[in-house]
Amino acid sequence: MATLKEKLGYALGDAAAGGITWKVMSIAFPLFFTNVFGLTFADAATLMLIARMFDVVTDPLMGSLADRTQSRWGTYRPWLIFGAVPLGLIFALLLYTPDFGPVGKRVWAYSLYLLMMAVYTAVNVPYGSLLGVMTEDDNEKNQFSSFRMVGAYAMGFITLLSFPYLQKMVGGTDQHQYAVLGAFFGLLATVMTLACGLLTKERLKPIRAEKFSFRQFGDLFKNKPWIYLTLIGICTNFFNGFRYAVAGYLLEYCLKGDVTVSGLIINYTVFMTFGELTCMVFGGVSPKFTEWIGSKRKAFVVAAIICTVFSVAFFFIPMDPAYIWLMVAVVILTSVGVGLYSPLLWSMYADVADYATEKNGTSSTGLIFSSGTMAQKFGTAISGSLVALFLGLAGASMTTDAMGNSIVDPASITDSVLTMVWSLFSLFPAVIAVLMVLLIYLYPIKK
């Protein structure tokens, strides 16, 4: 029986990865790269696409490598313990803007972004795989998944809410603010990841396939539940990816900058913070909701329908700061669905890993969970890349400032660009949520 301390320790892992590093990469990086760092929309889109092709190779290899690790700290925990410092350090360097020319900046951004993806994979794939070896009790797996999601969303809430106030406190240029906050949040992510590795326990021993074989990758594509769950995972991250990647542009262009209401600064991070808080609450009640509704599959369908309805509703809100609280209310209602389905997804990966072990006779837990991490990065970054691409197609373009840095040309932000931004936050995610409903109906594990 796992202790509360262990469940809290497990939650710290996704508080660092999901609540700090990935949250900032999802919501701040698209705007940071184009409006602060100085990349063009094309550069930013290309960067994220290249990173995804890189992940297609590194994620499954990392899963296979993690499954074969043997050490005094266990199979998966050493990757968290020794990966904590590189994770925080590279994250901090990514938010630093060097005084280079356009070519030097491209090299810096591309190199560090790819390195960040590699380190994130080396930490997060083993972290997810831990769920398969900490307990064999299905209810306890749901509890660990719930703690994980609450940790991620609670820290995401803190990160996004505090971001504009910390920027104001730091002062100076935007580049200076992002560099200081990168160092601060990078250190925090390091401490949390290390604590997760030290506080958790591996109770179950994987049935190892000691020799590396490409057969295990072939077995994945014969695993029908894995195929459907991977597609569902990609969709859930496309859903969030579009919304988070475009939130900065929505506030900056559609609402003409930050909105201040009764002393509260609502910028793009705070705007999404309301959703983070909702996800934290409903992520916590997801196991009880699933128990009440009867199965993970049915609970996921209800959650996806909630996401669909309120995403469509957002599109019809007037593009006016006067309606900011209505927008916030719809973001909160959409996030009810996200909060309910997020813990279910990782618990279902554990089910698929158990199914694969039963079918093939050896454990592929790390490989199975690596596909979850790959889906997360693929969906989030491809959606971020598509946001930059669609804004460019709608007419947004770059120019240079007096210092020769690339900046968004204000004259290019036409009504068609504004409509595209609004649609990317609402209608595009709604279509993805409908696809999630169709896929979950086809998912064959009925737990």
Side-chain angles (χ1 to χ4, degrees):
M1 179 69 72
T3 63
L4 177 61
K5 182 174 80 170
E6 188 178 0
K7 290 172 184 175
L8 291 172
Y10 189 65
L12 287 175
D14 217 17
I20 297 178
T21 57
W22 199 255
K23 198 63 66 181
V24 173
M25 289 170 72
S26 300
I27 192 169
F29 272 24
L31 191 70
F32 168 74
F33 278 135
T34 57
N35 289 30
V36 178
F37 191 87
L39 294 183
T40 64
F41 282 111
D43 280 335
T46 304
L47 167 60
M48 294 177 188
L49 282 170
I50 289 174
R52 294 297 61 77
M53 298 307 102
F54 181 67
D55 286 337
V56 166
V57 176
T58 59
D59 280 47
L61 286 177
M62 183 62 231
S64 183
L65 178 61
D67 282 335
R68 285 160 178 76
T69 301
Q70 298 185 59
S71 76
R72 56 181 289 195
W73 297 280
T75 299
Y76 303 114
R77 290 171 58 238
W79 293 96
L80 280 76
I81 294 168
F82 295 103
V85 172
L87 180 75
L89 178 62
I90 296 167
F91 174 77
L93 290 173
L94 255 179
L95 285 170
Y96 173 74
T97 304
D99 189 18
F100 297 157
V103 175
K105 281 187 172 183
R106 281 194 204 103
V107 171
W108 176 275
Y110 277 58
S111 302
L112 280 171
Y113 196 85
L114 289 174
L115 193 55
M116 180 66 196
M117 290 298 95
V119 174
Y120 185 90
T121 295
V123 170
N124 207 246
V125 168
Y127 168 73
S129 304
L130 262 177
L131 184 61
V133 295
M134 288 192 295
T135 179
E136 57 186 351
D137 181 81
D138 199 49
N139 288 330
E140 208 163 44
K141 283 179 184 176
N142 285 345
Q143 290 172 25
F144 270 113
S145 292
S146 183
F147 268 83
R148 173 184 182 163
M149 289 298 103
V150 170
Y153 286 124
M155 195 62 220
F157 169 76
I158 293 168
T159 301
L160 299 184
L161 181 64
S162 65
F163 210 89
Y165 298 97
L166 290 173
Q167 281 184 291
K168 195 172 180 182
M169 187 187 303
V170 171
T173 64
D174 287 345
Q175 292 178 347
H176 175 69
Q177 291 168 12
Y178 276 93
V180 172
L181 292 185
F184 170 72
F185 283 114
L187 177 61
L188 203 54
T190 292
V191 172
M192 288 180 170
T193 303
L194 184 60
C196 176
L198 295 173
L199 291 173
T200 49
K201 294 180 182 178
E202 297 186 23
R203 292 178 176 80
L204 308 176
K205 296 291 183 185
I207 306 169
R208 301 178 189 278
E210 298 296 348
K211 292 183 180 178
F212 178 84
S213 169
F214 282 104
R215 179 185 170 184
Q216 61 190 317
F217 296 100
D219 286 341
L220 278 182
F221 291 94
K222 297 174 187 175
N223 185 331
K224 196 173 178 182
W226 175 81
I227 293 171
Y228 282 111
L229 192 58
T230 298
L231 292 173
I232 292 164
I234 290 171
C235 286
T236 62
N237 287 289
F238 263 118
F239 181 84
N240 281 332
F242 277 121
R243 295 168 69 244
Y244 279 98
V246 83
Y249 299 111
L250 187 145
L251 265 289
E252 178 123 352
Y253 301 139
C254 298
L255 303 185
K256 314 303 179 189
D258 300 350
V259 180
T260 303
V261 184
S262 302
L264 175 65
I265 302 171
I266 303 180
N267 77 336
Y268 68 101
T269 62
V270 175
F271 184 67
M272 298 306 289
T273 293
F274 295 100
E276 292 295 304
L277 182 60
T278 307
C279 287
M280 179 184 72
V281 172
F282 283 88
V285 303
S286 180
K288 288 292 182 186
F289 175 75
T290 303
E291 192 179 323
W292 172 72
I293 209 164
S295 74
K296 296 176 188 178
R297 192 163 164 266
K298 290 177 183 175
F300 203 103
V301 169
V302 172
I305 290 172
I306 291 171
C307 290
T308 305
V309 170
F310 289 107
S311 293
V312 172
F314 191 94
F315 181 78
F316 295 99
I317 300 174
M319 204 181 293
D320 188 322
Y323 292 88
I324 188 66
W325 288 120
L326 179 57
M327 296 174 204
V328 166
V330 175
V331 165
I332 288 171
L333 291 168
T334 306
S335 299
V336 169
V338 178
L340 290 173
Y341 74 58
S342 294
L344 291 173
L345 190 68
W346 292 105
S347 181
M348 288 157 74
Y349 272 114
D351 295 337
V352 170
D354 290 343
Y355 172 87
T357 300
E358 223 175 277
K359 184 178 179 183
N360 302 321
T362 57
S363 174
S364 55
T365 301
L367 187 58
I368 297 290
F369 275 91
S370 75
S371 62
T373 306
M374 185 175 70
Q376 179 187 42
K377 292 192 289 187
F378 185 87
T380 304
I382 291 291
S383 55
S385 178
L386 288 174
V387 164
L389 178 65
F390 284 137
L391 290 182
L393 291 174
S397 61
M398 308 296 289
T399 186
T400 53
D401 62 14
M403 303 296 292
N405 296 313
S406 295
I407 60 171
V408 177
D409 182 1
S412 70
I413 308 302
T414 60
D415 286 345
S416 64
V417 172
L418 298 182
T419 301
M420 178 61 75
V421 169
W422 211 253
S423 299
L424 284 165
F425 193 84
S426 54
L427 298 184
F428 279 64
V431 171
I432 296 298
V434 170
L435 187 56
M436 284 158 53
V437 173
L438 296 175
L439 287 169
I440 199 67
Y441 266 114
L442 297 172
Y443 176 69
I445 296 178
K446 309 301 182 186
K447 283 188 180 180

